[in-house]
Amino acid sequence: MKKITSYQNKKILVVGLAKSGVAASLLLHRLGAFVTVNDWKPLSENKEAQSLLDAGIKVVCGSHPVELLDEGFELIVKNPGIPYTNDLIKGAIEKGLPVITEVELAYQISDAQMIGITGTNGKTTTTTLVHHMLEAEKKNVFMAGNIGTVACEVAQEAEENDTMVVELSSFQLMGITTFKPSIAIITNLYEAHLDYHSSVHEYAQAKAAITRNQTADDYLIVNADQPELMDLIRTSKAQLLPFSTKNKVSGGLYVMDNGIYFKDEFIISLSDIVLPGAHNLENILCAIGAAKLSGVSHQAIEQVLSTFTGVRHRTQFVREWNGVKFYNDSKATNSLATKSALNAFAHPTILLCGGLDRGNDFDDLLPFLTNVKAMVAFGQTGEKMLELGKRAGIKELWSVSGVEDSVVKAAEIAVPGDIVLLSPACASWDQHATFEVRGDIFIDGVNKL
């Protein structure tokens, strides 16, 4: 960890706790700042705030009072989940106060090389693959960021010869000023998070920020199959490493003759890769690019790709039972993710779906249901899903109370060779606190068969 002094004796306001807010507060306190923490949850119900109070940090809880800005703060560190429309954040910006997220702090103190990964889809799978590939080469590597481990916490432990592989959301990237990964990856770009971002343009600019500070010594791995994305990053000063799942790209990564190539060098046959799905080819190409730029051998890359079956809750292979394969894609909280999952399988599929009703229809799933032989639906959107199944001509349509019952019903109607796929196309909040809880119930149900 770099012993920076730029925060010594500065008044800093950390807005929003959870894991990232706690880590940022403790780091800034360690760096000699006068830290005040503000969180909406009342102190009596706020264990994180209580622990910071015990550490000697000032805490203001129960609301986000704009009057706090009268206390002469020089910097705001914002939890990524708090929108810029929040009155306190708006007030800070109007006063000209810099507003950053904790990944900026992580970069400022880190001695390690950073590989930064963003994109609409595939971030977590790509991050995990890169981590495994570097680890297989016996490199000392840490995984951090949006994947669940706070970057500024990990950066305090990582040393000069280590590598940090950091998953980055658009929310985090909106709060950077100097952050500069030596290798940046943009997996893809689709319309998303418009409940947070004011426009598609703002969302795209947030993603492009990953390469904003890169120089000619750095690398940007980017999806050449998306002209809009290539146009977005045209001002990047980094060395471009384009990838494509459709065409041969000069000086980049591509799929050809059932194999993957890096700068025209054969890496691995598609038949040797166990991770299912055409959508995962993008993630695999990105990971190979980062691994090769980091000095990882073919052998280590092959070792990972021939054994890696997926990240938990993301088209994750769970088990084969009586000739039927079960996959957990609980992370599919929208139609786009479920389309990708359905595209991954050519075998007859039993789709388990449904969840929170956000008022949308699911018509865009219709063209992707051709291999679905049966649908088992649950949750608030269960009836909508079954109606969609009728229109798709699916013969077997079942309504059940929840995920656990859906596993039992799927096992009852499945025959050898079938795929059972939990890919809800909806958030879990009508029945479960998180998609992880939903996925764990599915896994537990499958393992009980």
Side-chain angles (χ1 to χ4, degrees):
M1 169 181 165
K2 292 175 183 169
K3 305 296 183 186
I4 62 172
T5 58
S6 49
Y7 294 115
Q8 215 160 35
N9 300 322
K10 283 194 174 180
K11 289 192 72 175
I12 297 175
L13 177 64
V14 176
V15 182
L17 283 178
K19 288 191 289 187
S20 68
V22 171
S25 301
L26 291 171
L27 171 60
L28 288 163
H29 185 63
R30 180 180 176 184
L31 294 172
F34 298 120
V35 182
T36 298
V37 170
N38 172 232
D39 194 62
W40 68 272
K41 193 189 291 185
L43 184 62
S44 59
E45 304 168 17
N46 201 324
K47 289 181 180 176
E48 293 99 338
Q50 290 169 20
S51 69
L52 293 174
L53 200 59
D54 292 341
I57 294 171
K58 184 180 175 182
V59 172
V60 178
C61 286
S63 66
H64 293 302
V66 177
E67 298 76 32
L68 267 177
L69 298 175
D70 296 333
E71 295 190 16
F73 294 108
E74 298 174 67
L75 175 72
I76 310 290
V77 180
K78 182 183 77 66
N79 182 291
I82 294 176
Y84 287 82
T85 52
N86 176 283
D87 287 342
L88 181 58
I89 302 302
K90 278 168 61 179
I93 293 168
E94 285 165 9
K95 282 179 174 284
L97 290 174
V99 178
I100 66 170
T101 52
E102 61 82 23
V103 291
E104 174 65 21
L105 294 177
Y107 175 75
Q108 291 174 13
I109 65 164
S110 177
D111 283 316
Q113 170 187 310
M114 281 197 181
I115 299 174
I117 298 165
T118 196
T120 305
N121 293 323
K123 296 185 293 296
T124 299
T125 299
T126 303
T127 301
T128 308
L129 279 169
V130 173
H131 178 265
H132 286 340
M133 288 174 182
L134 268 65
E135 208 168 42
E137 191 65 29
K138 310 297 184 194
K139 291 180 181 288
N140 202 20
V141 56
F142 297 86
M143 196 158 53
N146 197 49
I147 203 163
T149 310
V150 183
C152 73
E153 207 166 60
V154 174
Q156 295 176 62
E157 305 302 323
E159 298 178 355
E160 191 174 349
N161 294 322
D162 299 340
T163 301
M164 282 180 62
V165 186
V166 188
E167 179 185 325
L168 296 159
S169 69
S170 58
F171 304 169
Q172 290 168 312
L173 287 168
M174 281 189 79
I176 63 168
T177 52
T178 63
F179 180 87
K180 183 181 81 72
S182 55
I183 299 172
I185 297 174
I186 307 178
T187 58
N188 48 53
L189 188 65
Y190 300 100
E191 187 175 305
H193 298 302
L194 296 187
D195 54 342
Y196 183 100
H197 295 284
S198 62
S199 64
V200 175
H201 175 74
E202 181 185 277
Y203 173 65
Q205 290 298 318
K207 291 296 191 185
I210 195 170
T211 189
R212 182 197 300 148
N213 300 314
Q214 286 190 298
T215 68
D217 294 328
D218 304 315
Y219 292 90
L220 173 61
I221 300 170
V222 66
N223 194 333
D225 292 333
Q226 295 192 313
E228 300 88 352
L229 178 54
M230 295 301 288
D231 185 56
L232 182 69
I233 55 85
R234 69 188 184 283
T235 57
S236 172
K237 296 180 176 66
Q239 300 177 56
L240 287 188
L241 185 66
F243 69 88
S244 172
T245 61
K246 300 173 182 176
N247 305 299
K248 181 178 178 179
V249 284
S250 177
L253 295 126
Y254 55 90
V255 179
M256 187 176 71
D257 299 331
N258 291 314
I260 290 179
Y261 292 79
F262 170 80
K263 297 186 176 180
D264 300 333
E265 182 183 5
F266 176 78
I267 302 295
I268 190 170
S269 294
L270 296 184
S271 59
D272 292 331
I273 297 171
V274 297
L275 185 64
H279 65 292
N280 275 318
L281 275 179
E282 288 185 352
N283 308 328
I284 289 164
L285 290 171
C286 289
I288 290 172
K292 291 296 291 180
L293 292 173
S294 301
V296 176
S297 66
H298 281 24
Q299 184 181 4
I301 291 170
E302 288 169 10
Q303 177 188 325
V304 171
L305 292 177
S306 62
T307 56
F308 181 76
T309 57
V311 177
R312 195 171 179 86
H313 310 302
R314 294 163 173 83
T315 328
Q316 170 201 2
F317 175 66
V318 178
R319 179 187 176 197
E320 184 168 343
W321 172 83
N322 289 353
V324 179
K325 291 182 178 178
F326 289 77
Y327 287 85
N328 165 29
D329 193 40
S330 184
K331 178 64 170 70
T333 57
N334 56 45
S335 293
L336 180 63
T338 296
K339 288 179 197 174
S340 295
L342 288 168
N343 262 349
F345 303 103
H347 290 81
T349 301
I350 299 170
L351 177 64
L352 315 186
C353 56
L356 183 73
D357 192 346
R358 284 174 161 151
N360 58 303
D361 59 42
F362 299 93
D363 289 359
D364 54 335
L365 281 176
L366 267 174
F368 298 85
L369 298 174
T370 51
N371 288 328
V372 176
K373 63 173 271 187
M375 183 184 283
V376 184
F378 46 80
Q380 289 178 357
T381 60
E383 289 306 313
K384 278 186 180 180
M385 290 297 187
L386 295 179
E387 183 58 38
L388 181 76
K390 280 182 194 172
R391 289 164 54 204
I394 297 169
K395 302 299 182 191
E396 293 195 69
L397 299 167
W398 302 91
S399 176
V400 296
S401 61
V403 174
E404 193 167 14
D405 288 342
S406 76
V407 174
V408 175
K409 176 54 70 175
E412 193 180 290
I413 62 179
V415 299
D418 283 353
I419 300 292
V420 174
L421 172 66
L422 172 69
S423 190
C426 303
S428 63
W429 303 323
D430 59 332
Q431 294 183 311
H432 308 290
T434 65
F435 71 82
E436 291 96 341
V437 170
R438 178 171 65 188
D440 287 340
I441 291 170
F442 173 78
I443 292 168
D444 188 51
V446 173
N447 287 330
K448 283 178 179 173
L449 292 174

